[in-house]
Amino acid sequence: MMFFGNIPELPLSTWMTILGCIGFFAALSLFAIWDAFKRDFPTSMEKVGWIQLSIFIPFLGCLAYFCLGRRRGKKYEA
């Protein structure tokens, strides 16, 4: 009984490359969410918007956040 259909038999190095890329993009998205949470934006809705963009469109959302959104928010003063 096959649950996943026909999974191609790829060499281990190829699977490690694929999983490494997925892990890298997941870590990048999680960092974008964490960084947006730790910054003070002009409005709270802008903060929520950047976090939602990073969650619902993981790779493109985090790239947009790092290119456009990160400069808009200021780090909280401790």
Side-chain angles (χ1 to χ4, degrees):
M1 202 167 169
M2 296 171 111
F3 291 110
F4 298 111
N6 293 332
I7 297 176
E9 293 184 23
L10 298 173
L12 181 61
S13 61
T14 304
W15 280 113
M16 295 302 287
T17 303
I18 292 169
L19 293 176
C21 288
I22 291 171
F24 174 73
F25 293 136
L28 199 61
S29 294
L30 288 173
F31 180 72
I33 294 166
W34 177 78
D35 190 65
F37 185 73
K38 294 286 186 182
R39 289 186 179 268
D40 185 28
F41 287 91
T43 65
S44 61
M45 289 306 293
E46 185 174 353
K47 177 186 272 196
V48 170
W50 284 116
I51 292 172
Q52 285 181 343
L53 187 67
S54 295
I55 290 172
F56 293 118
I57 308 173
F59 180 63
L60 295 177
C62 73
L63 284 180
Y65 172 73
F66 287 125
C67 291
L68 304 172
R70 193 163 195 226
R71 284 183 257 143
R72 293 186 51 85
K74 295 183 177 104
K75 283 193 145 191
Y76 284 121
E77 297 295 325

